[in-house]
Amino acid sequence: MAKWSDILIQNGVIGRDQLSEAQRMPNMTLEDALMRQGYAGPEEITQAKAEEFGYTYVNLRETNIPAEVLSAVPEAICRDKFCMPYAEEFGELKVALAEPDYETVENLRFVLNKEISPSMASKEAILAAINEHFGGSGSAGAGGKGDTESVNSLLQEFTNSALDEMGTDTSKKAGILGMEGANEAPVIRLVNLLISEAARNRASDIHIEPFGDRVRVRYRIDGVCIERDAIPKKLHMAVLSRLKIMAEIDIAEKRRPQDGRIKMMAGEKEIDLRVSVLPTNHGQSVVMRILDRDNIKVGLRDIGFSEEDYRRFSNLIRRPNGILLVTGPTGSGKTTTLYAALNELNTPNTKIITAEDPVEYYLPGVNQCEIKHKIGMTFAKVIRAMMRQNPNILLVGEIRDNETAQTAIQASLTGHLVFSTLHTNDAPSAITRLIDIGVAPFLVTSSVTGIMAQRLVRKVCPKCKVRVDPPAHILEGLRLKPEVVKRANFMEGKGCAYCNNKGTRGRMAIFELLVMSSKIREMAFKGETSLEIRNVARREGMRTLFEDGMIKAMKGQTTVDEVLKITNHDLFTSATGIKPGGGH
């Protein structure tokens, strides 16, 4: 009997290389790895499993379930066993299961005193059907239509009842609702559903922004802000107080910025949120960064390296000492890249210590220190203390000033491998930045082994991608040879349910990796400009961000417009009339 993974290959859903790549991904099941990489969707995997085990596959999203069938199985059993009744014929109840489970079928047969005909449906489809037909409150964030309807119904519930009770004495009632009403069940449910819906939609941030007449809620998905429901202005204090209670922040403080953390369950997944509260002229604005632990499980192979860059980067992180810098703006994936490197090096015979501000993800087997400026725990002081802990590898969250840079360099010169980040636009600029903040050129040249700049570009949706030909003037501006264009596989997404009609789903990194050579060290020592260093680095084999992005666009992994926009290329302005970098 063929395994479900082999059936996916036979059906042309995935290739053997994609299967091998997914099998190498650490700390996750093969099913999760295939879905994370976008190689196979939950429905395709479920169909293959159904074929392996001889079950019938049913698409619950396209199935009309009669009311009398719904009443046959209690909601608690459906949620507990991940099953959903969908039809009944000749006294036999048809039930969709997420996994082939003989014990569940027998239990249902005993409890319901009915003959059970088992089928298989994806877990996502089953949870969506449960939320749609039974209501979404039982499993916040489980997925599907139920979450959206629950958020809307809760907002309507507040508008029709709670707000009416507040009357015209807004200041008094808002104060009461802000301090005590945050413990009311509807507020708790509303906040939980907003967070779980954001997590289900792969959002990286939740923005709750007060204005004169409303409170805007936005999710940042794949780097782009998407507006959600507007919360009534009178509910702002209740929602804010609930979030502060969850984040263990002082509720009474309204004048100063505050930070906290929330740990909660979204469906079956535990997520962490980093909470930032900022006073504005219309009230306190909240931004929650969703820290998905799956992000730190990715290996170096999975973050988008070309084969050549992967080999060069692997060599750099395995050196016994020196500094490796990863540069780029906020939100460009620097932390994920460095954590992927640490995962690769995290073995029982290697001691790794990190200094972060703040610690975003907790890595098993790694000693992580959080910077606390209020008590004098700065990067420089923590690095000096870390040196006395006899580490092999140090990760310094960010080099911001001369003292941190000098301390990190001293650590590398005394036989430690140091990873850190800088905020520069490209790799060569990092050399001049270190010199600008006061590091002696000879220290830069003797300690820095490599610099990598990176950006994140949106990936073409694998479900609705079609081959396209970019406009002729774009191809001319790119100076691509006709034979290269002919071999290229430019793709764009038409828009489908899988990508929420955006044409893109998920993001991948593009890189610019500079390895310090003797020539570049000599130029840095002499104080040459970053432009001159860039030209030499390119002659020595460095691929720029734009070039790496275009290679991925020609492979159909991202779009030409996305690469032009992210790399601030002039062609994007001429093609669209939009300022480069807009939209993110």
Side-chain angles (χ1 to χ4, degrees):
M1 183 186 294
K3 289 185 63 177
W4 64 266
S5 54
D6 295 325
I7 292 171
L8 285 176
I9 295 174
Q10 292 167 12
N11 294 342
V13 177
I14 62 172
R16 295 203 175 273
D17 290 343
Q18 292 173 325
L19 177 62
S20 299
E21 184 181 341
Q23 287 171 333
R24 289 196 301 268
M25 292 184 71
N27 303 321
M28 65 173 65
T29 64
L30 176 59
E31 184 176 341
D32 289 339
L34 287 170
M35 288 193 290
R36 182 178 181 82
Q37 294 296 90
Y39 296 150
E43 302 301 328
E44 293 165 325
I45 291 173
T46 304
Q47 287 182 57
K49 283 185 174 181
E51 187 176 335
E52 177 185 351
F53 292 99
Y55 279 64
T56 302
Y57 166 78
V58 59
N59 188 341
L60 288 179
R61 300 181 193 277
E62 299 175 359
T63 303
N64 185 29
I65 305 176
E68 60 271 17
V69 172
L70 285 171
S71 62
V73 183
E75 177 187 355
I77 293 179
C78 290
R79 291 193 184 278
D80 184 49
K81 301 298 184 183
F82 287 113
C83 63
M84 188 68 188
Y86 64 92
E88 187 170 7
E89 289 182 1
F90 310 113
E92 189 176 66
L93 186 65
K94 296 187 176 184
V95 179
L97 305 171
E99 294 289 342
D101 189 345
Y102 177 77
E103 185 179 347
T104 296
V105 174
E106 287 302 303
N107 288 341
L108 286 172
R109 188 175 286 129
F110 176 77
V111 170
L112 303 176
N113 196 25
K114 282 179 179 281
E115 194 59 37
I116 304 297
S117 173
S119 305
M120 283 191 68
S122 69
K123 186 176 179 180
E124 290 80 1
I126 290 174
L127 288 171
I130 292 172
N131 286 334
E132 179 178 352
H133 295 289
F134 292 116
S137 59
S139 179
K145 184 177 167 185
D147 277 349
T148 305
E149 291 182 343
S150 297
V151 170
N152 290 337
S153 63
L154 274 174
L155 288 172
Q156 191 64 41
E157 179 183 334
F158 275 120
T159 305
N160 293 340
S161 58
L163 294 181
D164 289 340
E165 294 174 9
M166 291 171 66
T168 56
D169 191 0
T170 309
S171 60
K172 179 181 177 183
K173 296 289 185 179
I176 294 172
L177 189 60
M179 296 298 290
E180 299 172 7
N183 292 317
E184 295 292 331
V187 177
I188 295 173
R189 281 159 49 211
L190 175 61
V191 170
N192 287 347
L193 283 168
L194 284 171
I195 293 173
S196 58
E197 182 189 61
R200 176 172 57 82
N201 287 322
R202 304 176 299 104
S204 59
D205 301 88
I206 305 170
H207 299 253
I208 301 176
E209 305 159 314
F211 293 99
D213 58 344
R214 66 189 177 113
V215 179
R216 182 171 69 180
V217 177
R218 294 192 293 174
Y219 301 153
R220 187 178 291 277
I221 301 172
D222 293 338
V224 180
C225 281
I226 308 295
E227 188 159 351
R228 187 60 178 88
D229 305 280
I231 296 175
K233 181 70 173 174
K234 292 178 181 180
L235 283 182
H236 180 226
M237 284 297 294
V239 172
L240 180 65
S241 295
R242 175 59 190 163
L243 289 171
K244 283 188 172 184
I245 289 169
M246 294 172 72
E248 299 181 358
I249 293 174
D250 183 4
I251 298 177
E253 179 58 68
K254 300 178 182 179
R255 298 171 300 170
R256 295 187 182 130
Q258 294 172 282
D259 296 296
R261 286 184 86 112
I262 295 173
K263 184 178 291 186
M264 65 174 288
M265 295 296 294
E268 293 192 312
K269 181 186 289 187
E270 186 177 53
I271 60 170
D272 293 330
L273 296 101
R274 199 176 72 204
V275 182
S276 171
V277 181
L278 179 70
T280 70
N281 57 338
H282 289 296
Q284 297 171 81
S285 173
V286 180
V287 175
M288 290 176 279
R289 167 67 57 88
I290 299 175
L291 305 173
D292 188 347
R293 296 181 184 183
D294 287 344
N295 289 345
I296 63 169
K297 295 177 182 177
V298 296
L300 282 179
R301 285 269 183 194
D302 310 312
I303 59 177
F305 278 123
S306 66
E307 195 58 41
E308 184 183 354
D309 281 346
Y310 172 76
R311 179 179 51 78
R312 296 166 75 200
F313 189 78
S314 295
N315 289 337
L316 286 173
I317 66 173
R318 283 173 173 80
R319 294 193 178 187
N321 54 28
I323 294 183
L324 173 64
L325 296 172
V326 179
T327 77
T330 301
S332 59
K334 301 188 296 295
T335 301
T336 301
T337 298
L338 288 176
Y339 279 3
L342 291 184
N343 279 333
E344 195 98 347
L345 302 171
N346 188 11
T347 57
N349 59 353
T350 303
K351 175 150 185 173
I352 303 173
I353 307 181
T354 73
E356 304 170 69
D357 184 20
V359 173
E360 291 193 358
Y361 301 99
Y362 297 106
L363 296 169
V366 175
N367 300 276
Q368 294 173 271
C369 305
E370 187 154 313
I371 301 303
K372 297 177 181 176
H373 294 284
K374 289 182 180 178
I375 60 172
M377 274 186 67
T378 62
F379 274 114
K381 287 186 178 179
V382 170
I383 296 168
R384 291 192 195 100
M386 287 159 62
M387 297 277 286
R388 294 190 285 272
Q389 294 280 312
N390 191 25
N392 301 105
I393 300 169
L394 305 176
L395 185 148
V396 180
E398 184 183 346
I399 292 178
R400 301 175 181 174
D401 51 44
N402 177 264
E403 186 182 15
T404 304
Q406 295 280 8
T407 313
I409 285 171
Q410 291 303 320
S412 72
L413 293 175
T414 52
H416 301 85
L417 180 61
V418 181
F419 297 153
S420 191
T421 69
L422 266 179
H423 287 289
T424 60
N425 288 329
D426 57 16
S429 299
I431 296 173
T432 53
R433 172 67 60 85
L434 288 173
I435 294 171
D436 287 343
I437 64 176
V439 179
F442 78 91
L443 287 176
V444 175
T445 58
S446 58
S447 61
V448 177
T449 58
I451 304 163
M452 186 171 74
Q454 71 176 71
R455 298 289 190 279
L456 293 178
V457 294
R458 289 179 289 179
K459 294 193 291 186
V460 177
C461 175
K463 301 290 185 185
C464 62
K465 62 182 180 182
V466 293
R467 198 183 188 287
V468 295
D469 293 316
H473 71 282
I474 292 288
L475 295 176
E476 287 175 16
L478 295 173
R479 297 192 181 97
L480 295 177
K481 297 177 180 177
E483 58 270 24
V484 174
V485 174
K486 193 173 182 180
R487 291 200 310 269
N489 194 27
F490 294 107
M491 292 283 188
E492 280 186 5
K494 296 184 297 183
C496 64
Y498 185 63
C499 62
N500 203 19
N501 292 317
K502 299 294 182 186
T504 57
R505 182 181 170 95
R507 289 190 291 176
M508 68 186 303
I510 56 175
F511 302 100
E512 179 176 286
L513 180 56
L514 182 153
V515 178
M516 293 290 281
S517 64
S518 56
K519 176 64 176 175
I520 293 175
R521 292 182 196 280
E522 183 183 341
M523 295 177 72
F525 183 76
K526 291 180 179 177
E528 304 277 6
T529 66
S530 58
L531 180 60
E532 293 167 325
I533 293 173
R534 165 179 282 271
N535 291 334
V536 171
R538 291 191 66 188
R539 286 198 294 271
E540 292 181 350
M542 183 188 80
R543 185 183 292 141
T544 66
L545 286 167
F546 172 71
E547 290 165 345
D548 191 44
M550 282 308 304
I551 289 171
K552 286 165 182 170
M554 287 190 282
K555 290 180 178 178
Q557 297 170 320
T558 185
T559 65
V560 174
D561 280 354
E562 184 74 4
V563 174
L564 295 177
K565 177 170 62 175
I566 295 302
T567 57
N568 289 345
H569 199 285
D570 292 340
L571 279 174
F572 180 73
T573 312
S574 63
T576 63
I578 300 173
K579 183 181 177 182
H584 277 245

